Amino acid sequence: MGTPKKIKKKQTPETQFHSSLTLCSKHKDLPSAISLYESAVSQKTHFNHHHFNTLLYLCSNSVSDPSLKQLALDNGFRVFDQMLSIGTLPNEATITAVARLAAAKGDGDYAFGLVKGMDKYNVLPRLRTCDPALFCFCEKLEAEKAYEVEEHMGMVGVSLEEPEIAALLKVSAETGNGERVYGYLHKLRNVVRCVGESTAKIIEDWFLGGVACELGEANWDSGGVKEAVLRNGGGWHGQGWIGKGVWDVRRANADMSSSQCCSCGERLVCVDIDCGETQRFAESVAALAMEREVKSNFSDFQDWLDKHAEYEAIVDGANIGLYQQNFADGGFSLSQLDAVVKELYNKSGEKWPLVVMHNRRFRGLVENPSHRKLIEEWMDKGILYATPSGSNDDWYWLYAAVKLKCLLITNDEMRDHIFELLGSSFFLKWKDRHQVRYTFVKGNLKLQMPPPYSSVIQESEIGSWHVPVADDSCQEPARTWLCITRPSVSKASGEVSHNLETSQNGGVCRNLESLNSCTTESVASHNEKTTVVTGKRKERSPSPSQLNLSSA
């Protein structure tokens, strides 16, 4: 006897409507969705939250199609009104969709009103929720209303990104608000490393306009500007427009060997995070590590590091030892790690780096007779720190590199750390300045030092600007820069090569030979000291790996 066929259960009107609407959404078929909606209304079909949001999503996504725009607007607001009338509370996706509809018909006030009223639904806005009102006001040159949206975004914890800053920059430029333009250039500097082509065009148009020529101080406090540059970590002063007269705007490249702009000759600088940012970054890393690690273990490491703060390079031992070892006989390559350690020692004034690795890896090396002698040598010289069992060694090497303001040798892109540290806008800037990558080609080590200058927006002591433009390669020296100078100011300031010597924060490492002086000077500038005292390496208290060695 065969298996009886399953009798198909008859679908309810609500189930049929849900299935058909899902299909319309999948194919982005607004007319069919509206027809379904009309039929469902006439049949008094029950609508749930998902149904309303799906219809609103289709409407808001169709406003860019001229043939569908009016249909989308007419029915989108109708759907929203019905949703509210039956007591279905909107969520963030609902508000975003309706705000987009409002902006599409040029009603920025309605879109912004929706955002401001979200608290009554106990819903927080996201960037996409605020964008419709912001962009609508900017496009209509209603600058003050756009600034009000920006202020509200700040109050509810929504951060601007490049498109939003570019829109605010443009509306400020087109309404002649030079003070706002200056502020948004610096906000752009904080948010992005290289600007997109459309943003670059906005910046070019501003500096080539008549209003920009009239702004600035003819007699500025050069000493105060220099102090501000040093205080900020180099690359900007934030003291306002400097000089008077027309701007010269060109597109140029930078010379990697001299760090000079190939157009104006000014030296681009290596921009480090400032002292306050460094402290906040170290505290953030420590706080996150404390949440995820055994608190006493990480505290012990912090105490140990405070007593051994003379390291100028931190090495991610596992990353180097496991590099290119994904083959049949591959394992942990101690020879690769040893090559990195020796290279750093030889090229940095005979100063040993600190190698951080997990205790499990450490014990495996100690128990190998062919590796034990080298490990013992490293322990005697204070080169190795083994993180406790159960720990994540990433937190240890990252914290050490940040806390000691030194170089970090690893190919780890630290993407997980970036996600954890969202809100720390200076992380990428720190990484660009401090991370040293490496390669082994046919067994030969090559360290890739941080670039001699930072590919970020730079404002010089004489008021000129250099803006890196994003391209397909995003690599120096092929990158295009906007070189923005005032010829009258440059001429009055004398020799260009002298202009930026004091702008540097003491942290321009061009090669390993300058590793020692680079790191020491960087620390000195952060502490506002003018002299550096060096001496013989002090006796070390034992690291946990030294204590474990005797029992291995």
Side-chain angles (χ1 to χ4, degrees), residues 190-201:
N190 278 325
V191 169
V192 301
R193 297 172 53 71
C194 305
V195 303
E197 182 57 43
S198 59
T199 305
K201 185 66 169 59

Side-chain angles (χ1 to χ4, degrees), residues 175-407:
T175 55
N177 193 330
E179 185 178 343
R180 285 279 187 174
V181 170
Y182 185 84
Y184 289 125
L185 282 173
H186 278 291
K187 286 187 178 182
L188 201 58
R189 177 187 57 77
N190 278 325
V191 169
V192 301
R193 297 172 53 71
C194 305
V195 303
E197 182 57 43
S198 59
T199 305
K201 185 66 169 59
I202 294 170
I203 295 172
E204 284 178 312
D205 290 345
W206 160 256
F207 282 102
L208 291 172
V211 176
C213 300
E214 301 301 320
L215 297 172
E217 295 291 333
N219 300 307
W220 67 93
D221 179 7
S222 59
V225 169
K226 288 180 180 180
E227 288 178 8
V229 170
L230 289 172
R231 184 172 61 250
N232 295 336
W236 67 284
H237 55 76
Q239 302 297 297
W241 302 111
I242 286 179
K244 288 279 188 183
V246 297
W247 293 89
D248 184 21
V249 182
R250 305 187 183 201
R251 293 197 173 213
N253 301 116
D255 186 323
M256 285 283 285
S257 60
S258 66
S259 300
Q260 288 181 306
C261 171
C262 294
S263 175
C264 69
E266 285 195 24
R267 285 180 65 189
L268 300 173
V269 303
C270 198
V271 180
D272 204 351
I273 60 178
D274 64 35
C275 191
E277 289 174 324
T278 301
Q279 183 62 29
R280 290 194 298 274
F281 187 18
E283 289 171 355
S284 296
V285 174
L288 287 165
M290 292 286 198
E291 291 175 8
R292 291 155 177 78
E293 300 290 313
V294 175
K295 190 172 182 180
S296 60
N297 288 342
F298 198 79
S299 294
D300 289 345
F301 175 65
Q302 289 180 294
D303 294 340
W304 184 87
L305 199 64
D306 286 339
K307 298 172 184 175
H308 306 90
E310 67 273 23
Y311 294 105
E312 294 172 1
I314 307 297
V315 179
D316 177 2
N319 186 266
I320 295 168
L322 296 173
Y323 178 74
Q324 291 184 340
Q325 297 301 303
N326 54 340
F327 54 90
D329 297 323
F332 189 92
S333 176
L334 187 61
S335 61
Q336 287 183 171
L337 185 54
D338 187 40
V340 171
V341 168
K342 287 178 178 175
E343 182 75 359
L344 292 170
Y345 176 78
N346 292 332
K347 300 296 185 180
S348 63
E350 298 187 344
K351 291 195 173 184
W352 293 109
L354 174 64
V355 177
V356 177
M357 70 169 64
H358 193 275
N359 185 51
R360 174 175 52 83
R361 188 81 57 190
F362 165 76
R363 285 191 170 277
L365 293 172
V366 169
E367 290 167 2
N368 187 326
S370 61
H371 294 156
R372 185 180 179 94
K373 183 178 179 182
L374 179 58
I375 296 299
E376 288 176 340
E377 289 178 4
W378 284 1
M379 301 316 309
D380 291 340
K381 294 169 181 173
I383 295 173
L384 190 59
Y385 189 99
T387 64
S389 299
S391 66
N392 182 349
D393 55 325
D394 291 8
W395 293 115
Y396 289 76
W397 52 250
L398 179 57
Y399 176 78
V402 175
K403 180 68 175 177
L404 301 185
K405 307 181 183 73
C406 62
L407 297 177

Side-chain angles (χ1 to χ4, degrees), residues 405-547:
K405 307 181 183 73
C406 62
L407 297 177
L408 172 63
I409 295 78
T410 183
N411 283 348
D412 191 327
E413 289 300 328
M414 293 175 271
R415 299 190 194 282
D416 50 341
H417 303 308
I418 292 174
F419 294 140
E420 292 284 1
L421 296 166
L422 285 176
S424 299
S425 60
F426 40 79
F427 180 73
L428 285 178
K429 187 163 63 173
W430 177 88
K431 183 179 168 184
D432 179 64
R433 169 66 187 83
H434 292 267
Q435 183 175 6
V436 178
R437 293 177 173 83
Y438 61 88
T439 57
F440 284 92
V441 181
K442 295 182 179 179
N444 296 317
L445 168 67
K446 181 180 179 182
L447 294 178
Q448 301 169 3
M449 297 300 294
Y453 54 86
S454 298
S455 296
V456 294
I457 296 175
Q458 300 196 16
E459 176 192 33
S460 79
E461 290 179 10
I462 59 170
S464 61
W465 293 79
H466 287 86
V467 183
V469 182
D471 55 24
D472 292 336
S473 67
C474 281
Q475 297 294 322
E476 301 290 347
R479 181 187 308 287
T480 297
W481 288 72
L482 297 183
C483 170
I484 306 166
T485 59
R486 268 181 162 145
S488 59
V489 176
S490 298
K491 185 177 179 181
S493 299
E495 185 181 354
V496 170
S497 62
H498 176 69
N499 290 335
L500 287 182
E501 286 180 1
T502 54
S503 295
Q504 301 192 45
N505 64 332
V508 183
C509 285
R510 302 194 189 290
N511 48 49
L512 277 170
E513 282 78 6
S514 63
L515 175 66
N516 180 29
S517 60
C518 161
T519 310
T520 312
E521 290 170 9
S522 178
V523 174
S525 67
H526 278 301
N527 293 325
E528 299 182 353
K529 295 178 182 178
T530 56
T531 59
V532 178
V533 179
T534 59
K536 186 177 179 181
R537 183 178 291 272
K538 62 185 177 182
E539 289 298 317
R540 301 177 180 277
S541 58
S543 72
S545 44
Q546 286 175 295
L547 295 174

Side-chain angles (χ1 to χ4, degrees), residues 53 95 100 124 167 209 275 355:
N53 272 6
I95 300 300
R100 287 172 179 168
L124 290 174
C275 191
V355 177

